[in-house]
Amino acid sequence: MLDTLKIKADFPIFKNHSDLIYLDNAATSQKPQSVIDRITKFYSSENANVHRGVYPLSEQASEAYDLARKKVADFINAKSAKEIIFTKGTTDSLNLAAASYGLDNLKPDDEVLMSDFEHHSNFLPWKNVCEKTGATLKILNSDDDGSINQKEWQSKLNKKTKIVAIAHASNVLGTINDIKEISAIVHEVGAVLVVDGAQAIPHLQINVQDLDCDFYAFSGHKMLAPMGIGVLYVKEEILSKMFPYQLGGGMIESVSLDEVVYAEYPEKFEAGTPNVAGAIALVSAIDYLSKIGLSEIRSHEIELSEYLLDGLAKIKKVKLLGSAAPSQRTGLVSFSVEGIHAHDLSDYLAKQGLALRAGFHCAQPLHQSRNCGATLRASYYLYNSEKDLEVLLNNLEKAISYYG
Ligand code: 7TS
């Protein structure tokens, strides 16, 4: 297992809140000092707008921003840095994909396919684009463990399907989907595959060429980087079929009253002043994760999942969501307790310093399809230990006897 005491020492939040047991990493991760320092350094000694000034500070900021794009491309093994569009986060990335690709490429009679476990950030933009274009939105129902069976794919995917938009990992079930297998069947019918990678990128080494997806969206803030920076990877052959949905400065070659010549991608899709500090600090987050090692982080989380799933199975009235196999999950477990509202439980746990999320986790259709109310979610990361989960299990038992 990872040396979590040593890792925790790199994250100032834990010095400032010594009793905090942070188990809400699926909402956002904490930030290491190196990331915080990088933001401070940018604003203290490097701040200038990019691609505008010809003075040294602006040129250096532009260089650092371009280098960040290259580093992100390498991190997810994109073929080229041109395939990396910086956004505000996953929500922004998915809205960009839906508006810039979906609106122009869908027609009435076309079909868009999604799963029942999508986060609202993936579900709503595609639902909206379907309503505007007359395309039909179809839902793939997942099994209890969060997987989608062959029969479901065969009955819903066909030649009319033009877009399949699916999470790499569900933020409620934690289930990791086999994107490589999905991309093969999606491409067989000539559709494009949009992957919501928000819950996968903090935990798995992503290789977009190997996955062979057409879009891959993620947020920096769930992988140690600041809030407000995210990425939309788009395969180069798709980029030419997209029209920017935000227009403004920084994305044109020339403008006259009669004619606009747009810049090349990816700048074409980044209207306005970008989050330069965020992009640069995302590189520091990637460096930090790479130093610890994504495969070591993954093994650590699997051990934590084993421990937590075992512990929860022993507590009466607890009902688990998702797969029983730790290796099928990212670092999270959602559950409900018969007869006790998740918000009551999370209130009780919060008083003991435990930070967990309770509710529908922006995935209401999933809770409806499972016919269950609000759930409690524990999501852990590289700085969490078995001890954190032991405290959770002990306090959960106390909470159940308190309310039960
Ligand atoms: N997609 C998935 C699968 C997510 O889990 C989230 C955020 C998003 C998209 C949106 O990401 P954002 O960075 O643009 O907000 N999920 C959660 C969560 O589970 N709790 O808080 C945010």
Side-chain angles (χ1 to χ4, degrees), residues 26-27 89-91 119 121 169 171 196 198-199 219 221-222 357 377:
T90 310
T91 304
H119 189 277
S121 293
N171 69 319
D196 171 354
Q199 293 296 341
S219 304
H221 71 93
K222 293 186 201 284
R357 181 151 177 201
R377 181 184 69 188

Side-chain angles (χ1 to χ4, degrees), residues 1-19:
M1 295 205 84
L2 293 172
D3 183 348
T4 53
L5 278 182
K6 191 159 169 261
I7 292 174
K8 262 188 179 155
D10 292 336
F11 291 74
I13 195 102
F14 297 116
K15 279 186 208 117
N16 295 322
H17 298 271
S18 54
D19 293 333

